[in-house]
Amino acid sequence: MATLIAGVVMFFLGFLIWGIATADFFEEHSIVNAMKAEPNLGLIALGNLVGAFVLSTLYSKWARGHHSIGQGFQFGAWIGVFVGISMGLIWYATAEWMDLTGHVVEAVIDIAYYGIIGAVIAFIYQKTAAKE
């Protein structure tokens, strides 16, 4: 259940963040335009489902049966730190995709985005956990 709901949230929240709210910003901070004219929404949805499955699985092992929205946000934020800062620094060091400002903003967005996804996953686990 957490995989399905988180996958849907990832899809729509990602569209709102990167497809609408920050599209102009990232266009201004991109060094090269590597975007397709028309993205493959089916593959994006599949990628979100796979990501949600991985995050849900990791969260279930990390939480050890104690589920709270705050802990879920913390879990997701750490994933965001990995993706946004760790991978962002590597991408900035090895590719000419965005300027440094773009990577810094991307890192902040990634931390918030994955924090929200972690909170959603924790909420679903909390509501569907077997009562003792």
Side-chain angles (χ1 to χ4, degrees), residues 6-128:
V8 170
V9 172
M10 288 175 78
F11 184 86
F12 288 107
L13 183 60
F15 174 71
L16 290 174
I17 292 171
W18 290 284
I20 296 175
T22 63
D24 292 339
F25 172 84
F26 284 114
E27 188 174 316
E28 292 173 14
H29 292 278
S30 294
I31 295 171
V32 295
N33 182 7
M35 302 301 290
K36 292 182 175 185
E38 292 295 322
N40 185 324
L41 296 180
L43 288 177
I44 293 171
L46 179 61
N48 284 322
L49 281 174
V50 170
F53 174 74
V54 170
L55 291 172
S56 295
T57 302
L58 291 174
Y59 171 79
S60 71
K61 295 176 184 328
W62 182 79
R64 296 184 181 144
H66 303 286
H67 309 292
S68 74
I69 292 173
Q71 285 182 328
F73 185 89
Q74 181 184 29
F75 167 79
W78 280 114
I79 300 296
V81 167
F82 172 73
V83 172
I85 297 175
S86 175
M87 296 307 299
L89 286 170
I90 293 168
W91 288 326
Y92 183 69
T94 61
E96 293 193 37
W97 179 36
M98 285 190 295
D99 62 22
L100 183 58
T101 301
H103 281 286
V104 169
V105 170
E106 178 66 26
V108 171
I109 291 170
D110 286 341
I111 292 167
Y113 173 78
Y114 286 105
I116 291 167
I117 299 306
V120 167
I121 290 168
F123 178 77
I124 301 305
Y125 268 91
Q126 185 182 53
K127 295 301 178 192
T128 60

